[in-house]
């Protein structure tokens, strides 16, 4: 996968289960949980698997990336990605990283600790992480 967010290595982050009982936490759900923080970002997505949607996500990630509404429209409703990373940029700098690993857990990094705090409220099993590659 391309390394769009190498600069994001220093961002604080959390790790939590992608499953809530029988409910899978989707990328679209996480985008919604970002609220106004995510609304003006440009997104680049790297996917570990290849199928029609992932090819389209990566195509739209080229150059300046896509806006949040475009990413949301492509991943709603209920799209489950495997080994995908969505990098949210503000002013060309990564400010949020949403990394899904093996449909098992999400790792979220954010420049704004309030975003992580909000996610901890929704996903109380969240634990802090330092290394984006754990």
């Amino acid at each position: 996968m391309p390394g769009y967010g190498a600069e994001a290595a220093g961002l604080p982050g959390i790790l939590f289960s992608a499953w809530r009982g029988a409910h899978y936490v989707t990328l679209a759900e996480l985008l919604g949980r970002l609220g106004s923080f995510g609304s003006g970002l440009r997104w680049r997505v790297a996917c570990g698997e290849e199928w029609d949607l992932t090819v389209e996500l990566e195509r739209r990630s080229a150059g300046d990336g896509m806006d949040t509404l475009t990413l949301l429209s492509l991943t709603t409703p209920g799209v489950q990605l495997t080994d995908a990373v969505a990098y949210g940029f503000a002013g060309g700098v990564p400010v949020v990283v949403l990394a899904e690993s093996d449909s098992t857990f999400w790792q979220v990094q954010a420049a704004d600790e309030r975003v992580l705090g909000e996610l901890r409220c929704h996903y109380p099993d969240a634990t802090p992480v330092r290394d984006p590659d754990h």
Side-chain angles (χ1 to χ4, degrees), residues 1-89:
M1 287 188 292
Y4 292 118
E7 310 90 355
L11 294 178
I14 57 174
L15 182 74
F16 56 89
S17 175
W19 290 93
R20 306 281 161 233
H23 170 72
Y24 175 76
V25 177
T26 64
L27 176 59
E29 182 176 330
L30 287 181
L31 290 171
R33 299 254 185 243
L34 293 178
S36 62
F37 179 80
S39 64
L41 301 181
R42 300 297 299 176
W43 292 90
R44 295 182 188 137
V45 179
C47 301
E49 61 182 8
E50 188 173 315
W51 47 289
D52 293 348
L53 176 61
T54 62
V55 169
E56 181 64 13
L57 287 169
E58 290 191 347
R59 184 186 72 75
R60 289 179 182 244
S61 294
D64 200 23
M66 68 193 102
D67 62 42
T68 302
L69 289 178
T70 299
L71 179 56
L72 191 56
S73 73
L74 291 169
T75 58
T76 302
V79 172
Q80 182 175 340
L81 299 172
T82 302
D83 296 328
V85 183
Y87 301 92
F89 289 81

Side-chain angles (χ1 to χ4, degrees), residues 111-129:
D112 188 334
E113 281 283 348
R114 293 175 294 187
V115 171
L116 298 177
E118 177 69 20
L119 292 175
R120 281 187 198 97
C121 290
H122 291 284
Y123 311 110
D125 62 318
T127 58
V129 294

